[in-house]
Amino acid sequence: MLQFAQFGAGRIGAIHAANLAASGRAALRHVVDVHAPSAAALAAKHGATVSDTATALADPAVGAVIIASSTDTHADLVIAAAEAGKAIFCEKPIDLSLPRVDACLAAVAKAGVPMLVGFNRRFDPNFFELHRRIQAGAVGSVEQVVITSRDPGPPPVSYIKVSGGLFRDMTIHDFDMARWMLGEEPTEVFATGSVLVDKAIGEAGDIDSAMIILKTASGRMAHINNSRRAAYGYDQRVEVHGSAGRLIAGNRVGTTVEQADGKTVSTDLPLHFFLERYADAYRIELAAFLDAVEKGTPMPVGAEDGRQALVLADAAYRSLTEGRPVTIG
Amino acid sequence: MLQFAQFGAGRIGAIHAANLAASGRAALRHVVDVHAPSAAALAAKHGATVSDTATALADPAVGAVIIASSTDTHADLVIAAAEAGKAIFCEKPIDLSLPRVDACLAAVAKAGVPMLVGFNRRFDPNFFELHRRIQAGAVGSVEQVVITSRDPGPPPVSYIKVSGGLFRDMTIHDFDMARWMLGEEPTEVFATGSVLVDKAIGEAGDIDSAMIILKTASGRMAHINNSRRAAYGYDQRVEVHGSAGRLIAGNRVGTTVEQADGKTVSTDLPLHFFLERYADAYRIELAAFLDAVEKGTPMPVGAEDGRQALVLADAAYRSLTEGRPVTIG
Amino acid sequence: MLQFAQFGAGRIGAIHAANLAASGRAALRHVVDVHAPSAAALAAKHGATVSDTATALADPAVGAVIIASSTDTHADLVIAAAEAGKAIFCEKPIDLSLPRVDACLAAVAKAGVPMLVGFNRRFDPNFFELHRRIQAGAVGSVEQVVITSRDPGPPPVSYIKVSGGLFRDMTIHDFDMARWMLGEEPTEVFATGSVLVDKAIGEAGDIDSAMIILKTASGRMAHINNSRRAAYGYDQRVEVHGSAGRLIAGNRVGTTVEQADGKTVSTDLPLHFFLERYADAYRIELAAFLDAVEKGTPMPVGAEDGRQALVLADAAYRSLTEGRPVTIG
Amino acid sequence: MLQFAQFGAGRIGAIHAANLAASGRAALRHVVDVHAPSAAALAAKHGATVSDTATALADPAVGAVIIASSTDTHADLVIAAAEAGKAIFCEKPIDLSLPRVDACLAAVAKAGVPMLVGFNRRFDPNFFELHRRIQAGAVGSVEQVVITSRDPGPPPVSYIKVSGGLFRDMTIHDFDMARWMLGEEPTEVFATGSVLVDKAIGEAGDIDSAMIILKTASGRMAHINNSRRAAYGYDQRVEVHGSAGRLIAGNRVGTTVEQADGKTVSTDLPLHFFLERYADAYRIELAAFLDAVEKGTPMPVGAEDGRQALVLADAAYRSLTEGRPVTIG
């Protein structure tokens, strides 16, 4: 049974640890977190030991790591884990700096360890099925992709400041989704944005609302729209237009109850919280990581995917700043 | 932590055992099943012991039992468990014979043990929310209920023969749902039925398609339609009409993917398998049992509910046989 | 161009006259109504003459009549029109008394004139398409039909008193729909009902809420639920279960606008008013009458259909009164 | 009763003439078309006279004109009609050249005649209701608009060549819709496009697939996606995100029939043909024109709106050609 060291015992770390326990295929051996009570609680819950990084990575019984700590620690942990020969499950983003991401990729390549980057949405059953149908030819050749990605509410400005900004923190998921659905690398990015939700976000140097167009060499196009606030919940939809039809993956709702009264016919709002919306995705993502490690097959979302999404995010910022489309690669 | 003895290690028993383990609030101590390998496998999976009935019930560490064995064993187990002072979680139906059900109720009442009857659908989040809204007055006074309940495919005729027939095996869930949604006891039952799906079911003395009308003393009405086969999957819907509006709880689907091509706009079929359709319901049902045992509060679906659904099923058979509405109580 | 005499210049008469004018295939020549101002207004609008019954029917230029006067006048007008050799478009019901309906059918048969009975819902594009698919085998052999038919609000009690009651006034449409969808004649009717909406309806000797089950010789079943009030609008749905699947025809809504806010996702209510809900149906119904007259083909809904729906309504009243299922034929 | 001269007796001219006749509020007096048989047929159908332009405009009985001839004739006719003092209903676009449009606007202003430009979609009940709710504050302050506008199939290349190209021919409707929904003038346009549907369109110097982002001075954004082909029909949707929620107006379908079988749950495709999809819109548009002429109120879509949409289309072409966002105004 694969033994894990996990870095980060916060909200997302707790999810991964719980999925690991429930998988019945792996065990949590070490928990590392700068916040000692969190580490202790998570370790206790899953029968693991609180460790420091060096100890955890030096343990020969550990075959894999989950990196779910704060973003600024990811790169060092990836490199150290690679050098220790561990399989790596790393939350997105690998890092906010492309050179550091490249250093990670180099370390991973040199060590020959498998690495999955946590683009959890690829494992959402809805988006996964949509993509499966594209692959199966259900709508012919892909021509245009429209991604709606709107958070229920903005994070605190303190988080915004260290997040790398909207494109690297939030849109990065959508860049990955666009690449996956387009089936081709975008070669041009045009991004525009505004501060419409919260002036404090603008004062922190970021935007809270954005629209983006990506284009590939063969002329396929993708549109992304983002907002840090959606009054009605977490809005996560993908629409793909192909030569033979259209595929849409919509939001998940709490219940199927429909109420008709003297005013309207109403149904449930989309699930509000990302941990709830993507609960299945996180579970399946970890299972996919375990599958790939166990069978030695390629990771479904690899380090290169993590890098490429950041390339698009960086290009989007350049486009936003310079007011022109930016060419990639 | 509450310790359980579980009777029955089959398909539904495996579900309850897994939910018990995942609850983190209770432990499985004994597994009893006439089929030794099933008992051994389930016991091994959850760190329990394979026992016989007497041993399991004699264990003072056991506080509660799950009865998920074949229907003909339920009544004896209920009575024995009651006499042993255990809290009882009993799969529906309690028994196919009303006198035996009454014997169970007497034993339970005498022992003063809590008992939940496994009408899992009450715990389905969709039906639960619909019912909650009725209680909250969302549609005023309830007037009519329409229940659609259609299985994806018929069970083997061997099962039909011991099932107690359509009304006691399948419709019994709908009778319970009707009672719950109506908010009043039905006092009249009219049932009619046909063999439209499989002649062998008719040859076994049962029907495979039915329509029923229930009526309460105040004039509220409920309709149930059943079939042992639905080509498109497991069709489980409830519609409630009140003085101020309408509530509908529809089917659950696998994904939200919608495909439009040259022919149609299509979406996913309803979830096909009852264990998948009601996975949440089974989990919540067990949690509700644990809550009630821990807090000493009344069971959300008690022994009397189990009895009353059987009274309606018996009346439906009398109505079907005699070709007239049958009065109850 | 076919010339019409129309009896009845009220709400429904105005609809038929307007559709006739818009068809470009027929002309209104005589308008007859006991209420002179209504007759004058409708005649003026369509360039017709206000006449009395004798004059209108004696006019050799008149090839067809529309009977849209009060129900108690239908039978005499049908017989007179038949004897005058005119093609007959008669609003439902032909009459509230079966012997008088039979007298009408005899007169029509003797005269050999074509007659359409105004079961407008057969021409609703939604129900028509549903029926077309049944015929095309889309769901295999029909097994069960569920008809939801609920008015937005009750008519005045004065109308209730002359209406023939819920089953002959309102459910008669559903009886026709059930016959059409079942593809077989019902041989058994069980009806139950209550006064839940308006006590005055009960005091007038009628019910305002009903549930019905019909059964055919081969065992097919249909359920109808009725209410004189639906807070959310005019609820008119048909659901057909066959051996190979299910067809549902839902309500029409005003717009496709969906609104999501902090509380719900809401869409439009069903169209509220029957003239709006069935505007297309009335137009297509008249065109179908004109087609059949012009081509000499059979009427899509004939006098016999009008009779058979009344037979079911009468049986439903007997069932309601006697508290037992009633056999037909 | 307002008397009309109509220029153009083709497909769209026939629609307007029929709506005019059905309105009961206006009459067609002159029909002018270079194709004599079309003019004769339409004139005959509506009791009008075939005329030439000079005669029609010189007729003092004529109060208004409908300009539904080929695009290259619009500007001359607008100017001549304005000089003749007639109210003007002009199909979109006014002209493909901005200077000529300005000449039209000058002539109309000088003559003081009312002019409606045929952006029919503003009168579609779905989009109209969506806009009404924006105005009513249903979703707070508008932040982002997403417009999906995809034709069922490309027109012949011969038409493409004289159409002014995708942005002036097809997207021009979406530019108008975006302006209307945004509630502010776009000040920046970024457009990109590809030839993905038909190489012959590319050889004719145009594109067949496009994505566009518009931005206003206050930072509101709109996205438009276009294709000359949608395998599943005419796809016309508008989505508006505001500070307090989201509004979506979807496609119209033929019937509400839903079919569930062993494979999928399927519903009707969107209405395929624009004349069917927008039948209500054309009728309401003409009524709005008549209302404004009769009451002397402002036109709901005026000449300036026609100009502004062309400004956006021109800017989109500049953006496409120059590969950069283009600033307006």
Side-chain angles (χ1 to χ4, degrees), chain A residues 86-111:
Chain A
K86 315 299 187 192
I88 302 169
F89 179 118
C90 181
E91 264 305 318
K92 67 91 214 171
I94 302 178
D95 194 87
L96 298 173
S97 142
L98 201 55
R100 281 170 64 79
V101 169
D102 284 335
C104 290
L105 266 65
V108 166
K110 188 177 169 196

Side-chain angles (χ1 to χ4, degrees), chain A residues 242-254:
Chain A
S243 55
R246 184 186 74 193
L247 291 164
I248 298 179
N251 289 309
R252 303 297 297 255
V253 293

Side-chain angles (χ1 to χ4, degrees), chain A residues 143-145 150 190 192-194 210-211 215 219 221 223 226 229 231-232 235 237 239 241 243-244 246 323 325, chain D residues 143-145 150 190 192-194 210-211 215 219 221 223 226 229 231-232 235 237 239 241 243-244 246 323 325:
Chain A
E143 293 174 355
Q144 295 190 341
V145 174
R150 312 175 79 88
F190 177 75
T192 190
S194 308
M211 283 197 164
K215 199 173 174 184
M221 289 165 267
H223 162 72
N226 289 144
R229 177 204 51 214
Y232 49 89
D235 195 355
R237 289 171 285 145
E239 183 170 323
H241 294 268
S243 55
R246 184 186 74 193
Chain D
E143 295 174 354
Q144 296 189 341
V145 175
R150 312 176 79 88
F190 176 75
T192 190
S194 308
M211 282 197 164
K215 200 174 174 184
M221 289 163 267
H223 162 70
N226 289 144
R229 177 205 50 216
Y232 50 89
D235 194 356
R237 289 172 284 145
E239 184 169 323
H241 295 269
S243 54
R246 184 187 74 194

Side-chain angles (χ1 to χ4, degrees), chain B residues 68-130:
Chain B
S69 46
S70 63
T71 296
D72 59 337
T73 66
H74 289 189
D76 287 346
L77 288 168
V78 166
I79 292 169
E83 290 172 351
K86 315 299 187 193
I88 301 169
F89 179 118
C90 181
E91 265 304 318
K92 67 91 211 170
I94 303 176
D95 194 87
L96 299 173
S97 143
L98 201 55
R100 282 171 63 80
V101 169
D102 285 335
C104 290
L105 265 65
V108 167
K110 188 178 171 195
V113 294
M115 175 169 169
L116 180 144
V117 175
F119 286 128
N120 57 300
R121 294 182 198 176
R122 290 211 192 190
F123 304 94
D124 174 73
N126 308 289
F127 299 142
F128 188 89
E129 171 64 12
L130 193 157

Side-chain angles (χ1 to χ4, degrees), chain A residues 59-299:
Chain A
D59 184 347
V62 167
V65 301
I66 292 174
I67 302 176
S69 46
S70 63
T71 296
D72 59 338
T73 66
H74 287 188
D76 286 347
L77 288 168
V78 166
I79 292 169
E83 289 173 351
K86 315 299 187 192
I88 302 169
F89 179 118
C90 181
E91 264 305 318
K92 67 91 214 171
I94 302 178
D95 194 87
L96 298 173
S97 142
L98 201 55
R100 281 170 64 79
V101 169
D102 284 335
C104 290
L105 266 65
V108 166
K110 188 177 169 196
V113 293
M115 174 168 171
L116 179 145
V117 175
F119 286 128
N120 57 301
R121 294 181 198 176
R122 290 209 192 190
F123 303 94
D124 173 73
N126 309 288
F127 299 143
F128 188 88
E129 172 64 11
L130 193 156
H131 185 261
R132 192 195 63 73
R133 294 203 203 174
I134 292 174
Q135 301 293 99
V139 292
S141 172
V142 170
E143 293 174 355
Q144 295 190 341
V145 174
V146 176
I147 296 173
T148 303
S149 176
R150 312 175 79 88
D151 278 355
V157 171
S158 58
Y159 175 80
I160 297 275
K161 286 177 181 165
V162 300
S163 70
L166 185 83
F167 294 151
R168 289 188 196 93
D169 174 53
M170 179 175 162
T171 324
I172 200 161
H173 279 293
D174 308 310
F175 287 128
D176 181 63
M177 193 59 65
R179 290 179 63 233
W180 196 43
M181 295 297 179
L182 282 168
E184 289 180 359
E185 287 300 330
T187 52
E188 191 189 279
V189 181
F190 177 75
T192 190
S194 308
V195 178
L196 299 173
V197 174
D198 185 353
K199 281 185 185 175
I201 293 175
E203 287 156 13
D206 200 10
I207 52 172
D208 54 33
S209 305
M211 283 197 164
I212 297 161
I213 292 175
L214 307 174
K215 199 173 174 184
T216 71
S218 81
R220 297 179 179 193
M221 289 165 267
H223 162 72
I224 298 165
N225 65 72
N226 289 144
S227 174
R228 286 285 194 184
R229 177 204 51 214
Y232 49 89
Y234 192 35
D235 195 355
Q236 298 274 302
R237 289 171 285 145
V238 170
E239 183 170 323
V240 174
H241 294 268
S243 55
R246 184 186 74 193
L247 291 164
I248 298 179
N251 289 309
R252 303 297 297 255
V253 293
T255 78
T256 62
V257 176
E258 176 198 291
Q259 180 172 327
D261 52 31
K263 292 188 183 162
T264 59
V265 178
S266 63
T267 51
D268 277 17
L269 291 177
L271 293 177
H272 194 83
F273 191 44
F274 80 97
L275 289 181
E276 195 183 6
R277 168 68 173 87
Y278 287 118
D280 285 343
Y282 284 117
R283 186 177 44 75
I284 297 168
E285 180 185 42
L286 188 66
F289 177 76
L290 294 174
D291 283 348
V293 172
E294 289 171 4
K295 298 180 191 158
T297 50
M299 283 292 159

